Amino acid sequence: MLSSFRAVCTRIAVAILLVGIVGVESATAQTEPRFGIGFQMMASSIEDNVGPGIRFRVSAPINRDLSVSVGSAFTGYVFEGQDEATYALDPTASLIVTLPVMGGRGTYFLGGVGAYVPLGETAPEAAPFFHFGFGRVWLLRDTSVFFEIDPALVIGESSSNILFPVRVGVIF
């Protein structure tokens, strides 16, 4: 039963990702996409560790309050030394709801689907996840600075796990 649930979750994740990609194409006709790069610290109950990473994201507005985005991060769980280090990717597709910006600062909520993709021979298998988080953005002249927390529930073969990334970065 868990295997069929995981297959359904994976199909839903792929469908939402495809809808997100189509949404990016149609939204770019209205305005230009925005690119973001940031650093993250991610706690993982899969790895039972915390690791630094780098995140890339592209988003495109659907309207003034709603955007669609796709992105990925590369995280290294390296604090236990080189011999015990593990690495992972976490591609995501998200919807972002932005509350009205006042005084050059704004709050947003993001949610969607993704996959936890461990790298290496001893790593656990890849698994889909659902994420929902929030962030703050500070508008500058041509760029913006952001801070976000975006926890995820990873649906594994035999158990569920939590990812807890905290990110800071720049949007161009």
Side-chain angles (χ1 to χ4, degrees):
M1 174 157 159
L2 187 59
S3 180
S4 64
F5 178 71
R6 186 175 176 175
V8 169
C9 288
T10 302
R11 288 184 184 122
I12 290 171
V14 169
I16 292 174
L17 181 62
L18 291 175
V19 168
I21 291 170
V22 170
V24 169
E25 289 177 10
S26 65
T28 55
Q30 297 172 3
T31 61
E32 295 295 319
R34 300 207 56 197
F35 301 92
I37 184 169
F39 296 100
Q40 73 178 16
M41 287 298 287
M42 182 151 53
S44 167
S45 65
I46 298 169
E47 303 292 340
D48 289 327
N49 204 340
V50 175
I54 188 165
R55 178 149 190 93
F56 300 95
R57 179 168 61 206
V58 60
S59 66
I62 294 172
N63 61 39
R64 194 171 108 179
D65 303 323
L66 184 64
S67 299
V68 63
S69 73
V70 292
S72 188
F74 176 77
T75 303
Y77 299 97
V78 296
F79 292 135
E80 293 181 357
Q82 185 176 359
D83 293 340
E84 301 296 320
T86 58
Y87 304 92
L89 295 173
D90 64 346
T92 60
S94 309
L95 288 176
I96 302 171
V97 176
T98 304
L99 300 178
V101 175
M102 296 192 183
R105 295 182 302 249
T107 301
Y108 60 91
F109 296 93
L110 67 158
V113 296
Y116 183 78
V117 184
L119 306 173
E121 296 175 16
T122 61
E125 291 188 21
F129 65 74
F130 298 97
H131 69 98
F132 182 77
F134 69 95
R136 293 281 292 168
V137 64
W138 292 267
L139 305 176
L140 304 174
R141 181 171 278 172
D142 294 326
T143 61
S144 303
V145 175
F146 72 90
F147 169 80
E148 69 186 26
I149 297 172
D150 189 23
L153 176 64
V154 181
I155 312 298
E157 187 72 34
S158 60
S159 66
S160 295
N161 290 285
I162 301 292
L163 299 175
F164 193 83
V166 176
R167 302 178 183 124
V168 62
V170 178
I171 301 170
F172 300 98

